[in-house]
Amino acid sequence: MRAWVADLHVHSLLSPCADLEMTPHQIVLAAAEAGIDIVAITDHNASGNVAAAIKAGKQAGVVVLPGMEVETAEEAHLVVLFDSLAALAAWQEIVDAALPPRKNDPSRFGAQMVVDEADEFVAYEERMLLQPTHLTARQVIAEVNRLGGLCIASHVDRPAYSLLGKWGLLLPDCDLHAIEISRRFDCLTYMEANAALLGGFPGVTNSDAHRLIDFFTGPKTVWHIERPTIEEMRLALQGRGGRKVVSGVYLEWRK
């Protein structure tokens, strides 16, 4: 068993709200410098920079998990993670079919850029990514489970774009794997205070970084698992076989 420091909610410059410095190459270099073992690139409704991040991660010695932050029909955000690019591609097809055909306005929302592992420009994403899909939260969770992925309710402590904020109550039968607590609160304190609303789901913490400074200073989770796989993470969230998660971990860059 090994302790893996992970940040599973990181935006690249494909997300229009992220800074241009958030390239796949720069993210994995920052992770290597900070001692972060696992990173997930989770852009809004898109995955165009994941393959480049995986290639850059192999060069830097950082594991990059394929992922996405999906906006549901309820305007709630869910982080979804997979083991393979093939599973992510299958998921992207589902999202593409459910994303309204609106064009992005870069002057208003920011550019949406796809780059390669060396941060060379590849293309602009012309679809508007900052919008809800037609998929309900339950549909997202069901499809991600069907594809063998992991589904985490993003920043449930926030009033906007959170599943708890939209539903008011998380029920144990909704088949989530975990909930994410943002940097606004201490994870354990928040979960204890709101236990009646959270459905008994385990809590994790990530940076939700849109800038490199946010990536360095945001909370991480330490996963005590054998290998950096979705199945091992699922077992850790269940506390099985000595596996566990330790949330609310900050690195030495936090001032």
Side-chain angles (χ1 to χ4, degrees):
M1 204 74 66
R2 175 186 159 183
W4 303 75
V5 180
D7 193 333
L8 303 180
H9 188 173
V10 182
H11 293 270
S12 82
L13 74 173
L14 180 54
S15 292
C17 45
D19 281 1
L20 294 180
E21 66 181 357
M22 295 298 284
T23 65
H25 185 64
Q26 291 300 318
I27 291 168
V28 298
L29 286 181
E33 178 185 351
I36 300 167
D37 304 297
I38 309 171
V39 171
I41 302 300
T42 54
D43 287 310
H44 292 288
N45 294 325
S47 56
N49 281 337
V50 172
I54 291 174
K55 290 179 182 178
K58 288 179 179 178
Q59 297 173 4
V62 175
V63 175
V64 177
L65 291 179
M68 181 187 295
E69 185 173 36
V70 185
E71 186 169 343
T72 72
E74 301 95 333
E75 298 185 352
H77 289 180
L78 300 176
V79 166
V80 302
L81 306 170
F82 301 95
D83 274 320
S84 69
L85 285 172
L88 180 63
W91 171 247
Q92 183 70 71
E93 288 186 6
I94 294 170
V95 172
D96 287 345
L99 195 64
R102 297 176 61 188
K103 283 195 172 184
N104 184 49
D105 181 354
S107 65
R108 182 178 178 187
F109 300 109
Q112 303 173 154
M113 298 177 64
V114 178
V115 298
D116 65 16
E117 66 273 19
D119 293 346
E120 294 293 330
F121 175 79
V122 173
Y124 287 110
E125 172 58 69
E126 294 188 356
R127 299 171 303 170
M128 182 177 176
L129 298 178
L130 283 179
Q131 62 174 324
T133 65
H134 296 314
L135 298 166
T136 68
R138 288 190 179 274
Q139 286 174 322
V140 169
I141 296 166
E143 286 298 312
V144 170
N145 280 320
R146 182 181 65 81
L147 292 170
L150 201 71
C151 196
I152 302 170
S154 305
H155 38 66
V156 296
D157 54 282
R158 294 179 181 172
Y161 300 112
S162 77
L163 194 57
L164 181 61
K166 299 302 179 181
W167 282 358
L169 177 69
L170 300 180
L171 299 175
D173 69 349
C174 72
D175 292 331
L176 282 167
H177 294 102
I179 58 174
E180 178 189 72
I181 312 302
S182 77
R183 70 179 71 202
R184 297 170 66 240
F185 295 98
D186 174 77
C187 182
L188 292 179
T189 300
Y190 178 86
M191 292 187 66
E192 289 176 359
N194 296 277
L197 303 177
L198 298 178
F201 294 106
V204 298
T205 48
N206 302 296
S207 67
D208 188 10
H210 293 71
R211 304 177 300 161
L212 284 179
I213 188 63
D214 298 332
F215 182 59
F216 281 125
T217 62
K220 310 291 182 270
T221 297
V222 178
W223 297 76
H224 294 261
I225 52 180
E226 293 184 356
R227 298 172 301 280
T229 65
I230 296 300
E231 179 59 24
E232 282 287 307
M233 288 180 166
R234 192 178 290 116
L235 292 172
L237 290 168
Q238 297 168 358
R240 296 176 60 182
R243 300 169 183 82
K244 64 179 180 178
V245 295
V246 179
S247 302
V249 175
Y250 287 88
L251 304 179
E252 62 185 36
W253 280 268
R254 192 186 191 206
K255 302 299 182 183

